[in-house]
């Protein structure tokens, strides 16, 4: 089966990073999975992803403790810290937690770092299915500049592919459906780590279990678009995205660079949605424990851009603390239908405060998003002729569920600062 068939639509899920950093626990994962099953599953949300350093027993925040002991098995593979994930005791790994998530009708994912742990390289431990050892395959000059856990893997060495094969054999045994690989799509020190991406792709194909492959961080080089499509399902177009307006404004340029690329099995990724209660253990992103700094209008702008562009939607907040407003952003059926079923998203125009994006829907439907990126409310117009929409069009604004008036083949609206109007046109 082609890897593209694993993600025919952009994935929807929850990831633990924005609220719990490196310190998430099994109790918190189960609690958010319960919320998703009760409140979001019916709307298409399905992935529950444990982010970074689940193998670090004493992790306490979004900061990484350098060169600390990590949990691993006899074959040089990281395993969950039992004090944080009690069901992993007895060598069961994430299998019991994945089974619980699956019992809710959801899918289970984990984050890993590119490469092989420095700890096993220094101890020169075995690799399953190979006569080589960890030291034999390590590329010790290939490091992550922001995390000390790993060395790169040298693809030219005997045992390199066997190591990645053994990882994904283990993840398949655990029941993993989604794998986020970090320090691989882009690097502050190196180019994209294409050799290791190829080995990971091969390892997933061999493991016998379909898994979505998500690559981080960004910005992934657009010149490698064909390569990413051949090997992965998602790749970040940005570095870590936080709840700051300049980062959201910048995302318009990033999405424009990737126009025409989103499609079945291949999803340029705008990163997580920092909504609701975030930063619970955070010292990153310019803030700590907080509710999102985005205004309600900025939240609508983010959800609209991600949805019309068809980025994966990965919610970053503590789901159990959602208020009615935040939940409404995730359960708007018309917007989610556009996200799932539209195509051909593109920027129509950008001038002064106004940015217009459009996409094609089903059976004569057209979508148009009218963004005000300025700092004051502004009356903006949407020209239906630019969209190729006929005279008899009907327009519905999808967030307010209000019909829009069309005069002289234009829709004119007072759009709040940093806000948006999202229309479905027939």
């Amino acid at each position: 089966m082609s890897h593209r068939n694993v993600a025919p639509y952009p994935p929807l899920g929850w990831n633990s990073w924005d609220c719990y950093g490196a310190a998430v626990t099994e109790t918190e994962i189960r609690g958010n999975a319960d919320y998703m099953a009760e409140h979001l599953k019916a709307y298409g949300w399905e992935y529950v992803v444990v982010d970074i350093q689940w193998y670090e027993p004493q992790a306490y925040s979004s900061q990484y403790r350098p060169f600390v002991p990590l949990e691993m098995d006899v074959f040089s593979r990281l395993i969950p810290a039992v004090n944080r994930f009690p069901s992993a005791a007895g060598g069961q790994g994430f299998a019991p937690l994945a089974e619980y998530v699956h019992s809710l009708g959801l899918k289970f994912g984990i984050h890993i770092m590119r490469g092989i742990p420095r700890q096993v390289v220094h101890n020169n431990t075995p690799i399953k299915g190979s006569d080589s050892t960890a030291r034999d395959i390590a590329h010790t000059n290939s490091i992550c500049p922001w995390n000390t856990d790993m060395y790169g893997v040298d693809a030219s060495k005997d045992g390199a592919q066997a190591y990645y094969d053994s990882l994904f054999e283990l993840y398949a045994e655990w029941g993993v459906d989604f794998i986020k690989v970090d320090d691989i799509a882009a690097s502050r020190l190196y180019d994209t780590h294409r050799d290791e991406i190829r080995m990971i792709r091969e390892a997933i194909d061999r493991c016998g279990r379909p898994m979505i492959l998500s690559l981080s961080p960004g910005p992934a080089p657009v010149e490698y678009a064909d390569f990413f499509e051949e090997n992965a399902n998602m790749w970040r177009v940005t570095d870590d995205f936080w709840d700051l307006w300049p980062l959201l404004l910048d995302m318009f340029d990033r999405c424009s660079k990737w126009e025409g690329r989103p499609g079945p099995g291949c999803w340029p990724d705008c990163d997580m949605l920092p909504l609701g209660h975030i930063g619970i253990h955070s010292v990153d992103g310019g803030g700590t424990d907080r509710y999102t700094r985005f205004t309600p209008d900025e939240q609508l702008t983010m959800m609209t851009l991600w949805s019309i562009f068809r980025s994966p939607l990965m919610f970053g907040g503590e789901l159990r603390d959602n208020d009615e407003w935040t939940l409404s952003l995730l359960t708007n059926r018309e917007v989610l239908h556009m996200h799932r079923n539209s195509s051909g998203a593109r920027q129509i125009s950008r001038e002064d405060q106004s940015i217009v994006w459009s996409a094609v829907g089903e059976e004569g439907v057209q979508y148009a998003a009218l963004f005000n990126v300025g700092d004051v409310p502004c009356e903006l117009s949407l020209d239906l002729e630019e969209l190729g929409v006929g005279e008899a069009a009907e327009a519905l604004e999808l967030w307010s569920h209000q019909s829009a008036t069309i005069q002289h083949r234009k829709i004119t609206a007072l759009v709040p600062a940093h806000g948006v109007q999202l229309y479905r046109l027939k």
Side-chain angles (χ1 to χ4, degrees):
M1 179 178 71
S2 168
H3 73 277
R4 297 189 182 191
N5 295 333
V6 181
Y9 308 104
L12 283 71
W14 174 83
N15 178 293
S16 61
W17 171 253
D18 281 1
C19 50
Y20 291 113
V24 72
T25 65
E26 180 167 352
T27 299
E28 291 155 349
I29 297 295
R30 287 175 180 256
N32 279 274
D34 290 341
Y35 180 99
M36 183 180 290
E38 180 178 355
H39 298 284
L40 296 176
K41 183 173 72 171
Y43 296 86
W45 298 81
E46 59 179 343
Y47 289 95
V48 176
V49 182
V50 183
D51 210 84
I52 195 167
Q53 287 204 304
W54 37 264
Y55 41 80
E56 211 276 73
Q58 305 307 319
Y60 65 92
S61 73
S62 59
Q63 287 188 325
Y64 311 118
R65 301 192 312 135
F67 306 110
V68 296
L70 309 174
E71 296 293 319
M72 56 199 64
D73 70 7
V74 296
F75 291 118
S76 307
R77 301 176 298 189
L78 295 165
I79 56 175
V82 173
N83 65 320
R84 292 169 53 197
F85 299 92
S87 70
Q92 295 187 88
F94 274 129
L97 182 54
E99 183 178 4
Y100 180 76
V101 171
H102 293 155
S103 75
L104 300 174
L106 304 173
K107 296 181 179 179
F108 180 70
I110 62 173
H111 171 291
I112 66 171
M113 295 293 294
R114 169 187 71 90
I116 188 165
R118 295 190 189 204
Q119 185 174 321
V120 301
V121 174
H122 298 161
N123 294 336
N124 204 26
T125 53
I127 293 168
K128 187 176 182 181
S130 174
D131 293 329
S132 299
T133 65
R135 193 173 300 166
D136 293 330
I137 70 168
H139 190 337
T140 55
N141 288 327
S142 179
I143 61 172
C144 175
W146 43 266
N147 181 284
T148 62
D149 293 345
M150 315 293 274
Y151 289 125
V153 171
D154 187 338
S156 69
K157 297 296 181 66
D158 291 341
Q161 185 64 53
Y163 166 71
Y164 273 118
D165 288 349
S166 75
L167 287 188
F168 285 88
E169 175 187 305
L170 182 64
Y171 303 155
E173 292 171 359
W174 287 348
V176 172
D177 307 295
F178 181 108
I179 193 84
K180 174 183 174 181
V181 186
D182 216 334
D183 187 41
I184 199 165
S187 172
R188 298 173 191 170
L189 298 178
Y190 317 101
D191 198 356
T192 299
H193 294 281
R194 286 177 286 176
D195 285 345
E196 290 194 72
I197 292 172
R198 292 186 186 98
M199 287 191 288
I200 290 168
R201 174 75 268 148
E202 188 169 340
I204 294 175
D205 292 343
R206 289 178 175 179
C207 79
R209 183 177 182 84
M211 297 179 195
I212 285 181
L213 176 57
S214 170
L215 304 178
S216 288
V222 71
E223 59 266 29
Y224 295 156
D226 290 343
F227 173 83
F228 290 124
E229 290 180 2
E230 291 165 4
N231 291 281
N233 302 107
M234 297 166 48
W235 51 92
R236 285 258 297 276
V237 302
T238 177
D239 205 335
D240 282 7
F241 178 80
W242 285 106
D243 47 332
L244 298 167
W245 171 249
L247 298 181
L248 179 51
L249 181 59
D250 179 62
M251 199 62 69
F252 285 93
D253 290 332
R254 295 180 185 275
C255 290
S256 182
K257 289 178 182 177
W258 285 92
E259 276 184 25
R261 288 297 183 171
C266 304
W267 307 110
D269 178 14
C270 295
D271 199 19
M272 286 179 284
L273 302 164
L275 294 171
H277 189 187
I278 60 175
I280 295 170
H281 295 320
S282 178
V283 292
D284 286 345
T288 54
D289 189 345
R290 65 192 183 277
Y291 280 77
T292 184
R293 291 173 295 208
F294 282 139
T295 67
D297 286 309
E298 289 167 349
Q299 293 173 53
L300 290 173
T301 288
M302 177 178 63
M303 288 298 299
T304 300
L305 181 59
W306 268 236
S307 296
I308 199 167
F309 177 69
R310 303 186 78 198
S311 168
L313 301 180
M314 286 287 168
F315 188 85
E318 167 52 77
L319 287 170
R320 294 168 293 179
D321 292 340
N322 280 353
D323 56 15
E324 289 186 11
W325 163 259
T326 305
L327 180 60
S328 75
L329 296 174
L330 310 181
T331 55
N332 184 309
R333 291 194 182 277
E334 292 86 357
V335 175
L336 291 171
H337 183 86
M338 176 190 70
H339 177 253
R340 182 180 176 90
N341 297 294
S342 63
S343 62
R346 62 193 180 99
Q347 181 176 289
I348 295 293
S349 62
R350 180 167 186 166
E351 50 189 51
D352 299 325
Q353 291 184 223
S354 173
I355 300 177
V356 178
W357 274 73
S358 76
V360 178
E362 303 165 302
E363 300 177 354
V365 168
Q366 191 103 7
Y367 296 100
L370 182 58
F371 297 96
N372 175 9
V373 297
D375 295 331
V376 295
C378 187
E379 187 173 88
L380 302 176
S381 293
L382 183 66
D383 190 332
L384 301 193
E385 189 169 351
E386 288 184 358
L387 303 175
V389 176
E391 189 73 39
E394 301 174 357
L396 179 70
E397 205 287 313
L398 297 186
W399 291 113
S400 65
H401 308 288
Q402 299 295 312
S403 296
T405 300
I406 302 173
Q407 292 184 325
H408 308 297
R409 301 201 65 187
K410 288 186 177 182
I411 299 173
T412 301
L414 180 63
V415 184
H418 301 180
V420 66
Q421 299 280 286
L422 173 61
Y423 299 104
R424 183 182 65 206
L425 305 163
K426 288 187 178 180

